[in-house]
Amino acid sequence: MLQSLPHGVKISITRSITTAFEQYMAKIQWQDHRFSFEDFMQEWKEYIQSNSSWFHKVSPEIKSNPEFHEEVASKINEIIEKILTEKPTPEQIEKIEALQKQLGTDYDYSCKTEAKFYIDFLSQQLKKSGASSK
């Protein structure tokens, strides 16, 4: 059923899952113990209803079909798995190490998206502290 949707809609669904997951994880500051699949699903639901172009392009009949829900759930799991297994780039690792050295922090991170979060987070901390980013 998901495969029968137009290519642009499928891409938009994937993008909405990715964006909502990144936003949710940033909201809980990538603290695994705070992760709740139910909370993430609520975040995604709110995101797609207000920010996703695909949500209004898919008919209510398809959206209410249990097969569609199963396929979307499978897609969500696939995307989360992909996000969590994509290793940080050498540039990200270098940047985080430099920021942590300047700030005296020691955050662990394991994937590219989490590394991006920490680069943004630590950069903000550095700006707040007034420290030089040399």
Side-chain angles (χ1 to χ4, degrees):
M1 180 168 282
L2 189 59
Q3 292 305 319
S4 68
L5 295 173
H7 182 69
V9 171
K10 290 187 286 189
I11 289 173
S12 185
I13 290 171
T14 297
R15 192 174 303 122
S16 71
I17 295 166
T18 301
T19 301
F21 184 73
E22 290 174 3
Q23 288 176 349
Y24 173 72
M25 292 306 290
K27 186 185 218 178
I28 64 168
Q29 296 191 312
W30 279 86
Q31 295 177 10
D32 297 347
H33 67 278
R34 292 180 59 196
F35 182 83
S36 161
F37 192 75
E38 294 78 21
D39 290 348
F40 162 65
M41 289 305 296
Q42 183 61 38
E43 184 97 9
W44 183 64
K45 180 181 175 184
E46 290 171 12
Y47 178 83
I48 64 174
Q49 289 176 348
S50 59
N51 298 313
S52 265
S53 62
W54 74 265
F55 188 73
H56 303 290
K57 293 178 183 175
V58 175
S59 73
E61 294 80 21
I62 290 176
K63 287 190 285 194
S64 65
N65 187 309
E67 182 182 339
F68 178 73
H69 284 266
E70 287 176 27
E71 291 175 3
V72 169
S74 178
K75 188 72 170 170
I76 289 170
N77 289 333
E78 174 187 319
I79 291 168
I80 290 173
E81 179 69 21
K82 181 180 178 192
I83 290 170
L84 295 177
T85 58
E86 190 174 11
K87 297 291 180 204
T89 65
E91 294 81 14
Q92 286 179 311
I93 293 168
E94 185 179 318
K95 181 72 172 172
I96 290 172
E97 287 176 2
L99 288 165
Q100 292 205 99
K101 185 176 181 181
Q102 286 180 288
L103 291 164
T105 60
D106 186 27
Y107 291 104
D108 291 327
Y109 54 95
S110 60
C111 68
K112 187 175 183 176
T113 304
E114 186 178 16
K116 180 187 178 308
F117 165 79
Y118 277 112
I119 289 169
D120 294 343
F121 176 77
L122 293 169
S123 294
Q124 287 297 324
Q125 295 300 313
L126 194 61
K127 285 180 185 174
K128 288 180 186 176
S129 73
S132 171
S133 59
K134 290 182 183 175

